């Protein structure tokens, strides 16, 4: 969806690097980070569901929140949707209902093995790859109301397949609870001028990772 | 988007602090989270996992041609030689700067970043200005970091739109012949591995 999170090519002003930046800027950021990471196990959601829970909100709301405030809003939404907590409990600051059965906590012993393992998204391919390195492709014009990882700024533009990554979980369905439905994943490189017109830096290119169904083939003679 | 240490004069952040505390209490009482596990998560990313990890990888690639080849062919496997792996680096691709090509990494959609080798991203990386402009005006953004590249150097921007994470292998600074891996790692900055900076020069370290 073209939510406020899809920022590529817009202009939100100058970047402000922060010398000697701390990992966290406040105690609440530490806790919001840890709660979000730790709740994935008892909550049972996946990373694509968390991303959609963060981005599926009005632009003004997304842009008015700091980074970890967005994480927090996404976390609350994921928990409320699954009846893990109630709004009354969050307001009261205490548990008022028994816990949802089967929601087991991440323990201190399992933190490091869980981080080391991560959540690899590579899956066995069910079909041969449609594209190979060097093929020209056009990114589809699309704006689904749900989660997608094709940024708006490449849609309709022509690029070249640069890398082939194998078959990976498809975020558009995974975010909606509709399964992994893995697809071939490619890095597609677009010339700066193809994306931004004649005023673009002629020495620049932008690569995005795109799943096969985001791309249309362009015949060699076209 | 900036929220540094201004919470003393912003009531909305006080509300946020209270809400996070309330939430942690509820989740702990319900048995969904273990406070000791939360502490270990925080400690890990504040003290163990950070850009010094990536600097070791880069320094080895600068000194060991076989390692460099393995790293560029399969970054995910090559970083396991240092014990680095997993969350937000499940699939790592290393892109190499050359005299003619400069690479730069962004996530326009959120904040994707190779945690296992760089730790958690800085605020500017997650901010709207960087995410919006890195793809359309990379030279302008580099200028805001104090980096000026020659006009004929090609800039390749990598937008992390999948679970593939990207790490930039910067060029080894001149004048470092015979340096050890440990010495070279001191030249490798976090920003040089994102592509918004260059490595330090030999004269910049003691």
């Amino acid at each position: 969806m073209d939510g406020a999170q899809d920022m590529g090519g817009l202009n939100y002003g100058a970047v402000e690097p922060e010398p000697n930046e701390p990992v966290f800027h406040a105690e609440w950021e530490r806790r919001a980070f840890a709660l979000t990471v730790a709740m994935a196990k008892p909550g049972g959601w996946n990373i694509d569901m968390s991303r959609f829970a963060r981005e599926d909100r009005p632009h003004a709301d997304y842009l008015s929140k700091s980074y970890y405030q967005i994480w927090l809003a996404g976390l609350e939404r994921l928990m409320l949707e699954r009846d893990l907590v109630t709004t009354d409990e969050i307001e009261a600051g205490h548990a008022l209902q028994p816990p949802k059965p089967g929601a087991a906590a991440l323990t201190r012993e399992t933190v490091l093995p869980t981080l080391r393992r991560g959540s690899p998204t590579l899956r066995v391919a069910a079909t041969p790859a449609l594209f190979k390195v060097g093929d020209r492709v056009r990114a589809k014009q699309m704006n689904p109301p749900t989660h997608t990882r094709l940024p708006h700024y490449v849609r309709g533009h022509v690029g070249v397949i640069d890398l082939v990554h194998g078959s990976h979980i498809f975020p558009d369905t995974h975010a909606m609870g509709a399964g992994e439905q893995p697809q071939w994943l490619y890095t597609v490189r677009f010339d700066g001028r193809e994306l931004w017109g004649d005023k673009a830096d002629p020495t620049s290119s932008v690569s995005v990772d795109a799943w096969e169904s985001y791309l249309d083939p362009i015949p060699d003679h076209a | 988007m900036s929220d540094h240490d201004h919470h003393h004069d912003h009531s909305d952040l006080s509300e946020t602090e209270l809400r996070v505390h309330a939430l942690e209490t509820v989740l702990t009482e319900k048995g969904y989270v273990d406070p000791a596990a939360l502490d270990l998560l925080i400690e890990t990313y504040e003290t163990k996992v950070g850009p010094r990890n990536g600097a070791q990888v880069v320094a080895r690639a600068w000194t060991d041609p076989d390692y460099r080849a393995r790293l560029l062919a399969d970054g995910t496997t090559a970083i396991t030689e240092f014990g680095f792996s997993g969350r937000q680096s499940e699939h790592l691709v290393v892109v190499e700067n050359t005299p003619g090509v400069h690479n730069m990494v962004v996530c326009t959609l959120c904040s994707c970043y190779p945690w296992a080798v760089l730790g958690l991203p800085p605020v500017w990386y997650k901010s709207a200005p960087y995410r919006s402009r890195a793809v359309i005006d990379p030279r302008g953004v580099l200028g805001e970091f104090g980096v000026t590249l020659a006009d004929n150097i090609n800039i390749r921007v990598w937008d992390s739109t999948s679970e593939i994470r990207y790490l930039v292998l910067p060029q080894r600074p001149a004048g470092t012949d015979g340096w050890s891996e440990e010495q070279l790692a001191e030249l490798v900055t976090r920003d040089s591995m994102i592509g918004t900076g260059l490595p330090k020069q030999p004269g910049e370290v003691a």
Side-chain angles (χ1 to χ4, degrees):
Chain A
M1 62 176 290
D2 288 355
Q5 89 289 347
D6 188 0
M7 293 181 174
L10 304 180
N11 184 351
Y12 285 100
V15 181
E16 294 178 29
E18 183 185 356
N20 304 311
E21 179 174 344
V23 177
F24 298 104
H25 290 76
E27 178 60 20
W28 74 265
E29 291 193 349
R30 285 191 180 87
R31 307 315 286 182
F33 164 78
L35 286 173
T36 302
V37 174
M39 275 307 294
K41 179 174 183 285
W45 50 77
N46 62 54
I47 191 166
D48 298 307
M49 292 171 180
S50 342
R51 289 194 181 123
F52 186 62
R54 287 172 203 156
E55 72 196 27
D56 182 30
R57 58 191 67 247
H59 286 225
D61 181 66
Y62 184 95
L63 294 171
S64 69
K65 285 179 161 59
S66 76
Y67 182 75
Y68 285 115
Q69 284 177 323
I70 294 173
W71 273 39
L72 200 60
L75 174 63
E76 288 186 9
R77 174 171 168 168
L78 290 164
M79 295 193 300
L80 291 168
E81 285 173 348
R82 288 160 181 75
D83 298 323
L84 287 157
V85 297
T86 63
T87 48
D88 287 351
E89 289 177 314
I90 298 174
E91 295 307 325
H94 282 290
L96 304 171
Q97 308 287 335
K100 195 170 173 178
L106 182 72
T107 63
R108 192 171 168 92
E109 290 67 38
T110 52
V111 166
L112 296 180
T114 300
L115 294 177
R116 263 198 297 276
R117 194 167 54 245
S119 301
T121 54
L122 186 65
R123 297 293 181 268
V124 175
T127 55
L130 192 59
F131 305 117
K132 61 183 186 303
V133 170
D135 285 355
R136 293 168 73 227
V137 291
R138 185 184 299 277
K140 282 186 177 153
Q141 276 295 356
M142 54 186 258
N143 180 16
T146 48
H147 183 69
T148 188
R149 298 292 286 179
L150 184 69
H152 73 273
Y153 69 85
V154 301
R155 295 177 197 163
H157 289 288
V158 173
V160 175
I161 302 283
D162 213 15
L163 299 169
V164 181
H165 297 290
S167 181
H168 284 254
I169 294 173
F170 186 48
D172 302 42
T173 52
H174 204 220
M176 297 299 124
E180 296 188 344
Q181 306 196 27
Q183 291 186 17
W184 284 90
L185 176 68
Y186 307 91
T187 295
V188 185
R189 179 174 300 171
F190 299 86
D191 283 340
R193 288 191 171 180
E194 164 70 18
L195 295 176
W196 316 114
D198 291 344
K199 290 204 169 70
D201 185 337
T203 67
S204 74
S205 68
V206 182
S207 297
V208 306
D209 295 338
W211 279 263
E212 199 162 85
S213 66
Y214 294 169
L215 304 170
D216 284 326
I218 296 180
D220 286 340
H221 51 79
Chain B
M1 300 284 282
S2 172
D3 61 20
H4 303 171
D5 280 329
H6 305 314
H7 53 281
H8 298 298
D9 47 22
H10 286 255
S11 58
D12 58 335
L13 286 183
S14 296
E15 278 173 32
T16 301
E17 287 172 343
L18 292 170
R19 198 161 180 92
V20 173
H21 183 73
L23 206 55
E24 183 171 346
T25 305
V26 173
L27 300 182
T28 305
E29 288 178 358
K30 297 191 104 168
Y32 298 147
V33 297
D34 170 2
L38 302 181
D39 291 342
L40 181 57
L41 274 169
I42 294 163
E43 182 194 330
T44 300
Y45 286 105
E46 278 199 321
T47 65
K48 302 286 195 300
V49 181
R52 300 331 299 160
N53 289 8
Q56 290 178 58
V57 171
V58 168
R60 180 156 306 169
W62 282 347
T63 54
D64 180 343
D66 290 338
Y67 184 74
R68 178 177 154 278
R70 289 201 294 283
L71 184 67
L72 293 172
D74 179 357
T76 314
T77 302
I79 63 167
T80 64
E81 296 180 33
F82 290 87
F84 308 146
S85 68
R87 190 161 176 115
Q88 291 298 317
S89 299
E90 289 90 344
H91 307 285
L92 186 73
V93 169
V94 177
V95 292
E96 184 183 33
N97 286 352
T98 65
V101 174
H102 182 87
N103 295 282
M104 191 170 146
V105 183
V106 63
C107 174
T108 63
L109 297 175
C110 45
S111 55
C112 297
Y113 192 77
W115 288 12
V117 279
L118 294 186
L120 299 179
V123 167
W124 62 257
Y125 185 86
K126 304 177 287 195
S127 73
Y130 185 71
R131 288 163 55 188
S132 62
R133 290 178 44 245
V135 289
I136 190 170
D137 182 20
R139 278 182 198 273
V141 168
L142 284 171
E144 284 154 23
F145 286 89
V147 175
T148 307
L149 300 176
D151 291 344
N152 61 346
I153 293 179
N154 288 299
I155 302 183
R156 291 185 183 168
V157 182
W158 301 79
D159 188 355
S160 312
T161 51
S162 76
E163 302 311 319
I164 310 294
R165 297 289 166 267
Y166 292 91
L167 183 78
V168 176
L169 174 58
Q171 290 182 272
R172 178 172 173 165
T176 57
D177 291 352
W179 283 39
S180 69
E181 267 184 51
E182 291 71 23
Q183 288 174 299
L184 287 167
E186 294 299 314
L187 301 176
V188 183
T189 63
R190 177 196 65 199
D191 290 6
S192 73
M193 295 181 278
I194 304 171
T196 54
L198 300 172
K200 292 180 190 169
Q201 292 302 306
E204 293 180 67
V205 293

